Amino acid sequence: MGASSDSRPIFIVGAPRSGTTLLQYMLRSHSKLSFPTGESHFIVPLFRKAESFGDLSQKNNIRRVLDEMYRRNADFLLTDLHGMRFEAETLADELHSKGCDTIPKIIAGLFEKNARGEGKKRWGDKTPYYVLHLPTILEMFPNAQIIHLIRDGRDCALSLLGRRFDFNVYNFYYAAAYWKHYVDIGQKSGRQLDSGTYMGVRYEDLLTVPVVTMKKICGFLEENYSETVVNFNKSTEPGKTPLLQKPVQKQNAGKWKKIMRPDQIKIFESAAKDTLIRNGYSLVTEPEPLPLFLSLAYRAHNKVFTKARNFAGKYIKK
């Protein structure tokens, strides 16, 4: 494994609505691990436009990176970093003096400063969609560790549709395709990584056997297990999911069995059969692939509703 695990950043990833926030709060309750309470969203975009910032050995260009970071996600920088205050000019001076002359070094410098302010040795980030960009994350941070959280797609579908305006998911077929896309790409990347770099974890295991599961996760991270990660520090922040204000809720798994209609289950299982089976989720129907015209109709339905929502949003802003 090489150097101490203290220098290895941790990324929690997965399909949206897969329980990544719960795992984030559990791990940030560990005495050594620092996780901001939100999602960064700027790590991959900043890296992809690195050349536009010029020579990052120059302090004014580091400041440009920090300004772009703020433009992309001011709320994260102002409210989710609990070990520091984000002051761009002061931070640019500090990063420049430490020789942070690349995008990864600047990002690591920010998260490391936040970790030190929390009295922690190691930093992590929870941004679900980075699961689609694991090669880029590892190009940036070659010694990173990835925890890919996977939840039964039928429960994910209910949660996505419950927040349809946030994720632009308007029917069960599209929810299945959405979930399958995230899971398949993440696992494809994971199969190319060693067991010390990538770990897949089922959300249901986190709920039903939390101690066993968190011991495995701590082992993967080469950190001592502590009961604080199961009896985690609950959220008191407004806007956070109510589940973060309670102990681990075993009943949060399998809700689809009581809520989804048989036809909705069959549509979902038809679209995501292989991914469900591969991850140990039993089917309750005997799904066949949907006819092409029907799958196209579902996609068109989702596209129309997405455009209507976007149009309505622009109209309301005006």
Side-chain angles (χ1 to χ4, degrees), residues 12 15 20 36 61-62 76 78 81-82 88 108 136 138 146 194 216 267 270 272 283 285 293-294 298:
I12 300 172
T20 53
N61 288 334
I62 295 177
F76 174 84
L78 298 178
L81 299 176
H82 299 282
T136 299
L138 289 164
I146 310 296
D194 64 66
K216 289 180 180 178
I267 289 169
S270 294
L283 306 182
T285 69
F293 79 90
L294 193 54
Y298 279 122

Side-chain angles (χ1 to χ4, degrees), residues 175-192:
Y178 188 101
W179 174 77
K180 177 178 171 62
H181 176 68
Y182 274 80
V183 174
D184 287 356
I185 288 182
Q187 291 186 319
K188 181 179 179 181
S189 294
R191 286 193 290 272
Q192 300 173 41

Side-chain angles (χ1 to χ4, degrees), residues 33-78:
L33 306 181
S34 168
F35 280 84
T37 51
E39 300 175 1
S40 62
H41 289 277
F42 51 68
I43 291 178
V44 171
L46 287 178
F47 184 65
R48 286 184 167 172
K49 63 178 297 185
E51 291 185 2
S52 70
F53 298 110
D55 180 3
L56 293 177
S57 67
Q58 303 298 314
K59 188 183 78 172
N60 63 313
N61 288 334
I62 295 177
R63 174 62 190 267
R64 289 178 60 206
V65 173
L66 296 175
D67 288 343
E68 177 66 9
M69 192 182 291
Y70 185 88
R71 185 189 71 79
R72 286 179 174 273
N73 201 345
D75 187 59
F76 174 84
L77 297 172
L78 298 178

Side-chain angles (χ1 to χ4, degrees), residues 170-171 174 295-306:
Y170 296 98
N171 61 64
Y174 195 82
S295 62
L296 291 175
Y298 279 122
R299 289 185 179 277
H301 168 269
N302 208 85
K303 188 173 183 179
V304 167
F305 273 78
T306 298

Side-chain angles (χ1 to χ4, degrees), residues 5-20:
S5 63
D6 290 353
S7 64
R8 304 188 74 183
I10 305 160
F11 289 89
I12 300 172
V13 300
R17 314 307 297 166
S18 290
T20 53

Side-chain angles (χ1 to χ4, degrees), residues 4 21 50 72 97 107-108 117 124 151 155 168 192 216-218 224 231 254 264 275 289 306:
S4 165
T21 303
R72 286 179 174 273
S97 69
I107 290 169
R151 183 185 187 187
D155 275 329
N168 286 324
Q192 300 173 41
K216 289 180 180 178
I217 291 174
C218 287
N224 291 328
N231 302 314
Q264 295 169 337
T275 305
T306 298

